[in-house]
Amino acid sequence: MLVKFKNTQAYIKNYSEQLIKLLKIEIGRNRTRKYKSGTYTNPIDNTGRLRESIEAIQKMQKEGFSSQIMMNDYGVTVDQGRPIGSEPPYQDIVDWIKSKPVRLRDSKGKFVTADEYRLSKLANNIRRKIGREGIKPTNFIQDAIDNSIEKLNKLGA
């Protein structure tokens, strides 16, 4: 393998690692999104699962090499948002509710047990609201790329 090719491969690997760090920072950063029901400012990955799922995969091939950055599928939806009229899958909402520290209350404000019936009702209500209002994009992927693009541009200089 040519030394120049090895240097390029090492550069791409280092760039991928740097981009992963920036993606993780962007995911943990507070983001503000405005909806009819109010303004919300919070990190986009409270459970840490999205952040933990990000990885770079390098593959050697006969013609050269490739580097891809992978993450859980829902990361793209978090980045791009969900358009009005598009409800998320039911089980994804149930899993999200279970992963959050959600405590359910009855109509009088008293805490109640989160049994399957109540979880089902809550998940369906959330799905319908997302379908009506959509989910605003966070653009965390583009923000990370924008923060790292200067380094990539210097490669040609």
Side-chain angles (χ1 to χ4, degrees):
M1 184 181 298
L2 296 172
V3 172
K4 190 174 185 179
F5 185 67
K6 280 187 177 183
N7 289 342
T8 303
Q9 182 181 6
Y11 181 83
I12 297 296
K13 181 180 179 191
N14 288 337
Y15 178 76
S16 296
E17 291 170 359
Q18 180 66 28
L19 186 55
I20 287 172
K21 287 179 188 175
L22 290 170
L23 284 166
K24 290 179 179 185
I25 289 168
E26 291 296 328
I27 288 170
R29 191 168 63 84
N30 278 340
R31 304 249 172 201
T32 300
R33 291 173 274 181
K34 295 180 181 179
Y35 295 94
K36 292 177 185 176
S37 57
T39 300
Y40 301 92
T41 301
N42 54 8
I44 57 177
D45 186 27
N46 292 334
T47 64
R49 288 188 198 144
L50 182 58
R51 189 178 299 127
E52 291 169 4
S53 74
I54 300 174
E55 64 179 331
I57 298 175
Q58 278 87 30
K59 293 182 181 178
M60 289 298 297
Q61 300 165 343
K62 194 173 188 178
E63 308 82 38
F65 66 94
S66 67
S67 181
Q68 296 179 325
I69 299 198
M70 309 293 282
M71 72 177 75
N72 287 342
D73 289 343
Y74 70 89
V76 175
T77 303
V78 169
D79 179 63
Q80 297 174 356
R82 183 174 288 278
I84 293 173
S86 171
E87 291 183 359
Y90 169 80
Q91 192 58 47
D92 288 355
I93 298 297
V94 170
D95 293 343
W96 178 81
I97 292 168
K98 288 180 179 179
S99 71
K100 298 288 180 189
V102 174
R103 293 185 64 196
L104 303 180
R105 295 178 188 257
D106 64 13
S107 61
K108 296 178 183 176
K110 294 184 180 183
F111 288 111
V112 295
T113 304
D115 58 21
E116 289 301 316
Y117 175 74
R118 288 184 177 118
L119 283 176
S120 175
K121 283 187 74 168
L122 177 60
N124 280 317
N125 287 340
I126 292 171
R127 286 182 70 225
R128 283 194 297 274
K129 183 170 182 177
I130 291 172
R132 275 192 321 269
E133 296 183 19
I135 297 177
K136 303 289 183 188
T138 61
N139 299 315
F140 76 93
I141 294 174
Q142 190 61 51
D143 289 348
I145 290 170
D146 290 346
N147 288 335
S148 68
I149 203 72
E150 284 184 36
K151 184 176 181 181
L152 188 60
N153 285 337
K154 289 178 185 176
L155 179 65

